[in-house]
Amino acid sequence: MTVRLLYFAWVREKLGQAEETVSLPAELTTVADVLGWQAQRSEIHRNVFTSAGIVRVAVDQTHAQPSVNIKHAREIAFFPPVTGG
Amino acid sequence: MTVRLLYFAWVREKLGQAEETVSLPAELTTVADVLGWQAQRSEIHRNVFTSAGIVRVAVDQTHAQPSVNIKHAREIAFFPPVTGG
Amino acid sequence: MAIRVQTEDFDIGREIAALTAGRIDIGAVVTFTGLVRGASPGKSLATHSLATMTLEHYPGMTEAELERVEAAALERWPLQASLIVHRVGTLAPGDNIVLVVTASLHRQAAFEAAEFLMDYLKTQAPFWKKEAATDGTGDWVDARASDDQAIARWR
Amino acid sequence: MAIRVQTEDFDIGREIAALTAGRIDIGAVVTFTGLVRGASPGKSLATHSLATMTLEHYPGMTEAELERVEAAALERWPLQASLIVHRVGTLAPGDNIVLVVTASLHRQAAFEAAEFLMDYLKTQAPFWKKEAATDGTGDWVDARASDDQAIARWR
């Protein structure tokens, strides 16, 4: 499955990239699975994605809890808690 | 005791006057006393001032309950519940 | 902190700019504007169109009361600035009646103080509204029980 | 009902005028404006002066989220009009960040809807603030627990 991954704020800065297009392993089915997959990609990824639950996820531009299915996602975004307003 | 009496909104319209200067009888000591005195001045006054508790009073530009002393008042105002804002 | 009673209209953008100009200690500004509606509460425009609304007040007491209201707000919330402007005279539907502005570090204080100022103003400040309908009828507006309920929550 | 994300400043008076022009069915307009403060929350200006604040957002999701927030407010309150404007890019102390405007028949709905929109915006809309201090330091602003508490009251 090919999907666009987006990164914002300090997640973007620490990873050194704003977006990438990847083929996710077929066995990943939920947001929690994708977070686990991210955490094992590199030392930097481990630091960013195991900041115990701090990184938030949006699937196709909608806030997504860990249990949300990502099988048909076209765009998955990773970011810290929002601080606008 | 000489005091200035002011009337606003429908109290003013029904009495047909905006203000008057009067000598209040010496035995009047509270706002309640003055309301009672007003009510017996004429048939129109009775109608206005016995509208059971609807007419509000300010003594020297401060909202005043019936028990407030008026012995040293210079200005007593009579008006309906306020409707600004 | 300022209060004004005037016949002229007010410019909300200009009032906010005057309160915040050159300041970097304000994080939140809340404004409330009250306007003349084209029909009385609970009446439809079709059957009871408003022609004008005339606001009478008690000069002297009005200013004293608004200053008391503003002082009471300052005792409860850390406001950087506040403003109350109330119009008097004859107004038409769509016209501005009242403006309240509050400025604080954070939004909760600014929101609460603005609501408090309006609730107090509605029940304490000596203003009275008289409506004239397009059919020639007209009368003084009655005080609303909901305003007395609103003020009770701050006690 | 409108939402906008922009780098330019906004003119509060003009925005209100655009919402209310020609209408006689609006009795109450509430605005909230958020501004950049000269110091971080909890830090004094003397020791930690802010040079700039940069706002990043998630184009596409921001608009979608603000539209969801506005629709949620409309479900709860009878609003005649509403507007959300949020700036992005690099701002200086004293600059406007966000504007929320709500218009209704009565003040309670306008006040509550404005507070609701701000509480949702603070916790749901994908914006992130990065501060740069005058001493060269700087970091991303942390989310505030008080914002999560504020949003909880609407559930």
Side-chain angles (χ1 to χ4, degrees):
Chain A
M1 183 184 89
T2 296
V3 63
R4 195 167 162 236
L5 306 183
L6 303 179
Y7 307 107
F8 293 98
W10 58 254
V11 175
R12 171 180 57 70
E13 283 188 345
K14 288 186 180 177
L15 295 179
Q17 65 182 164
E19 66 171 277
E20 61 182 324
T21 300
V22 299
S23 289
L24 289 181
E27 66 269 25
L28 305 184
T29 54
T30 66
V31 165
D33 293 343
V34 177
L35 284 168
W37 171 80
Q38 286 276 26
Q40 55 77 53
R41 290 174 76 191
S42 78
E43 187 58 32
I44 290 171
H45 282 77
R46 190 186 343 273
N47 285 336
V48 169
F49 289 96
T50 55
S51 307
I54 288 187
V55 171
R56 307 294 168 90
V57 179
V59 174
D60 291 334
Q61 307 193 347
T62 302
H63 290 291
Q65 294 301 308
S67 61
V68 165
N69 192 299
I70 52 94
K71 272 301 178 197
H72 303 286
R74 286 165 301 149
E75 183 174 303
I76 306 178
F78 304 85
F79 45 76
V82 304
T83 57
Chain B
M1 185 183 89
T2 298
V3 63
R4 196 168 162 231
L5 305 183
L6 303 179
Y7 307 106
F8 293 99
W10 57 253
V11 176
R12 171 178 57 71
E13 284 187 345
K14 289 188 180 178
L15 295 179
Q17 66 181 161
E19 66 172 274
E20 61 182 325
T21 300
V22 300
S23 287
L24 290 182
E27 67 269 23
L28 306 184
T29 55
T30 66
V31 165
D33 294 342
V34 177
L35 285 168
W37 171 80
Q38 287 276 25
Q40 56 76 54
R41 289 175 77 192
S42 78
E43 188 58 34
I44 292 172
H45 282 77
R46 192 191 337 277
N47 286 336
V48 169
F49 290 96
T50 55
S51 308
I54 287 186
V55 171
R56 306 295 167 92
V57 178
V59 174
D60 290 334
Q61 306 193 346
T62 303
H63 289 291
Q65 296 300 308
S67 62
V68 166
N69 192 299
I70 52 93
K71 270 304 178 192
H72 302 289
R74 284 166 302 149
E75 184 173 302
I76 305 178
F78 303 85
F79 45 75
V82 304
T83 56
Chain C
M1 314 298 142
I3 60 114
R4 297 203 315 264
V5 180
Q6 62 189 41
T7 53
E8 317 87 71
D9 197 9
F10 47 78
D11 180 324
I12 302 165
R14 196 170 302 166
E15 300 293 352
I16 296 175
L19 282 190
T20 59
R23 299 188 64 160
I24 57 168
D25 60 338
I26 293 173
V29 175
V30 168
T31 74
F32 174 86
T33 312
L35 300 97
V36 181
R37 286 189 305 271
S40 298
K43 294 179 181 170
S44 83
L45 266 176
T47 59
H48 190 87
S49 290
L50 189 80
T52 61
M53 173 171 283
T54 300
L55 274 134
E56 174 174 334
H57 79 125
Y58 180 177
M61 180 169 169
T62 306
E63 291 79 1
E65 199 60 48
L66 293 179
E67 277 165 21
R68 282 192 280 267
V69 166
E70 205 170 45
L74 271 173
E75 261 178 41
R76 298 178 71 133
W77 292 280
L79 301 181
Q80 252 80 357
S82 72
L83 172 68
I84 303 173
V85 183
H86 204 298
R87 294 180 72 189
V88 291
T90 297
L91 307 175
D95 281 356
N96 291 321
I97 304 171
V98 62
L99 173 66
V100 161
V101 186
T102 55
S104 190
L105 278 175
H106 300 294
R107 71 186 185 285
Q108 196 188 349
F111 270 123
E112 285 185 7
E115 290 187 65
F116 172 90
L117 288 174
M118 280 307 303
D119 287 347
Y120 259 83
L121 196 154
K122 284 257 179 193
T123 53
Q124 301 291 119
F127 292 97
W128 300 274
K129 287 180 183 136
K130 187 175 191 177
E131 298 181 338
T134 49
D135 63 5
T137 64
D139 208 349
W140 295 92
V141 173
D142 283 329
R144 294 170 63 208
S146 62
D147 287 329
D148 290 328
Q149 287 152 15
I151 193 71
R153 67 184 158 143
W154 305 109
R155 287 188 181 133
Chain D
M1 314 295 140
I3 59 115
R4 299 203 316 264
V5 180
Q6 62 189 43
T7 54
E8 319 87 71
D9 196 10
F10 45 79
D11 180 323
I12 302 165
R14 198 171 302 166
E15 299 294 353
I16 296 175
L19 282 191
T20 59
R23 300 188 64 159
I24 58 168
D25 60 340
I26 292 174
V29 175
V30 169
T31 74
F32 174 87
T33 312
L35 300 97
V36 181
R37 284 190 306 272
S40 298
K43 294 176 181 171
S44 82
L45 265 177
T47 60
H48 189 87
S49 289
L50 188 81
T52 62
M53 173 171 281
T54 301
L55 273 136
E56 175 174 333
H57 80 123
Y58 179 175
M61 179 168 170
T62 306
E63 291 80 0
E65 199 60 47
L66 292 180
E67 276 166 18
R68 281 191 280 267
V69 166
E70 205 170 42
L74 270 173
E75 260 177 43
R76 297 177 73 131
W77 291 280
L79 300 180
Q80 251 79 357
S82 70
L83 172 69
I84 303 174
V85 183
H86 204 299
R87 294 179 71 188
V88 291
T90 298
L91 306 175
D95 281 356
N96 291 323
I97 303 172
V98 62
L99 173 66
V100 161
V101 186
T102 55
S104 190
L105 276 176
H106 299 294
R107 71 187 187 284
Q108 196 188 347
F111 270 122
E112 286 184 5
E115 290 187 65
F116 172 90
L117 288 174
M118 279 308 303
D119 287 346
Y120 259 83
L121 196 155
K122 285 255 177 194
T123 53
Q124 302 291 118
F127 293 98
W128 300 274
K129 288 180 182 136
K130 188 176 193 178
E131 298 180 336
T134 49
D135 63 5
T137 63
D139 207 351
W140 294 92
V141 173
D142 283 329
R144 293 169 64 207
S146 62
D147 287 329
D148 290 328
Q149 288 152 16
I151 193 71
R153 67 183 157 144
W154 303 110
R155 279 177 189 142

